[in-house]
Amino acid sequence: MTGAKHDPASEPETAPEAPAEQVPAADEIVEIPVKAKRPGFVYFLGYGIMAPIARLVFRPRITGKENIPREGRVILASNHLSFIDSIVIPLTAPRRVQFLAKSTYFTGTGFKGWVSRQFFTSIGAVGVERGAGQAAQVALDAGKDILESDSAFAIYPEGTRSLDGRLYRGRTGVGWLALTTGAVVVPVGLIGTQEIMPVGSKMPRIRRISVKFGEPIDVSVHGTADSGRARRKATDEIMAAIHELTGQELAHSYNESPPTTVVQRVKRAIWWRELR
């Protein structure tokens, strides 16, 4: 493992922060992923059934599929507009893709729980459990395990979905993963997915979307994973590539809830001063 262990991030199931760029609340609830597993029969069965249906119904405009290496370590770094994004990426990519998801999708009981478990397994999700402590590092380790098996791993550098449609600043966990594993990064631009599954909706709507896979990025030119500057520069290059694909308005800030306590506000102020 490169670099020191660090405190938990707010949403490690999407994009945990890399070491030395965290200021979580002391009582923050976070997600700790279980050991990542390679997709098995259920994944291939589900993909074989769902992918053709999804293409027929939603008719996505897909460009740049040739930019995704067919083998080896690949990080698909995407903007995040809707819950449906985690379904769109695996179903439109030309190779098997895994990502982290909340454990509640895997632990339900009865028929509904079984359906949820089979569905998320079929699209390559890896379950995470609620907890506290060094959760962000554990989340990064799960992604690292997936990549070191020469697989493709999808991540949202913004950390959580954008509710206003703007593109937020990327958290450096994606840079840490790329620099630690040597994986190439393929930027992904999703356009219109928020129209299929708006926030609060329970059923998808039929809307046509665009999925753009950009040219692979080798971030090793920025340095090593134990350098905060290298992680930041790698992440910024990735976010710039995503922005070029989507054309979203830039937020120039992190997508996170405002601090609610004095301690959180003080930590946030210190962090920003050190970061600048």
Side-chain angles (χ1 to χ4, degrees):
M1 185 62 60
T2 305
K5 299 292 183 179
H6 59 288
D7 293 334
S10 57
E11 290 198 14
E13 73 275 18
T14 50
E17 193 67 270
E21 284 198 21
Q22 304 270 61
V23 186
D27 57 351
E28 191 171 20
I29 298 298
V30 294
E31 307 288 334
I32 298 180
V34 297
K35 181 70 173 180
K37 297 180 180 179
R38 293 177 65 88
F41 174 75
V42 173
Y43 174 89
F44 292 105
L45 178 63
Y47 183 88
I49 296 174
M50 292 172 57
I53 294 176
R55 294 191 187 101
L56 178 64
V57 174
F58 296 104
R59 299 178 297 116
R61 301 181 183 88
I62 308 172
T63 59
K65 291 173 66 172
E66 68 279 2
N67 290 324
I68 301 178
R70 295 304 191 268
E71 57 184 21
R73 303 174 182 183
V74 180
I75 296 173
L76 300 180
S78 176
N79 63 321
H80 195 15
L81 298 170
S82 170
F83 162 82
I84 207 76
D85 297 345
S86 296
I87 301 173
V88 169
I89 294 174
L91 292 183
T92 57
R95 62 177 289 183
R96 180 177 60 197
V97 179
Q98 289 183 266
F99 59 93
L100 305 183
K102 295 179 181 179
S103 63
T104 52
Y105 298 141
F106 297 86
T107 56
T109 59
F111 178 73
K112 183 178 180 181
W114 180 85
V115 171
S116 176
R117 187 161 51 253
Q118 297 304 312
F119 173 76
F120 282 96
T121 299
S122 73
I123 60 174
V126 175
V128 297
E129 298 176 352
R130 286 202 173 274
Q134 299 294 324
Q137 186 65 53
V138 179
L140 288 172
D141 287 346
K144 181 173 176 286
D145 288 342
I146 291 171
L147 290 167
E148 288 184 341
S149 66
D150 288 335
S151 299
F153 178 65
I155 189 171
Y156 304 118
E158 292 172 275
T160 189
R161 58 184 167 177
S162 171
L163 299 181
D164 59 15
R166 294 187 298 169
L167 184 67
Y168 285 81
R169 197 178 193 206
R171 299 180 182 276
T172 58
V174 64
W176 183 88
L177 276 175
L179 292 170
T180 299
T181 64
V184 297
V185 180
V186 173
V188 182
L190 301 178
I191 301 174
T193 55
Q194 73 276 19
E195 299 298 327
I196 293 180
M197 200 84 170
V199 176
S201 63
K202 295 183 178 180
M203 294 296 294
R205 302 182 300 186
I206 297 178
R207 298 288 189 276
R208 197 169 190 186
I209 62 173
S210 294
V211 184
K212 300 180 179 181
F213 298 104
E215 295 184 2
I217 301 171
D218 178 7
V219 299
S220 63
V221 296
H222 297 297
T224 59
D226 58 359
S227 165
R229 182 180 179 84
R231 296 192 302 267
R232 182 73 265 164
K233 284 185 170 295
T235 302
D236 288 346
E237 181 181 4
I238 293 166
M239 295 307 298
I242 294 174
H243 177 246
E244 186 175 346
L245 295 172
T246 66
Q248 291 170 269
E249 178 185 348
L250 295 175
H252 300 294
S253 63
Y254 290 104
N255 191 4
E256 57 191 355
S257 301
T260 57
T261 68
V262 174
V263 173
Q264 290 180 22
R265 286 194 290 270
V266 171
K267 286 183 176 180
R268 187 71 55 80
I270 294 174
W271 177 57
W272 274 107
R273 184 176 62 190
E274 293 179 347
L275 184 60
R276 291 172 181 174

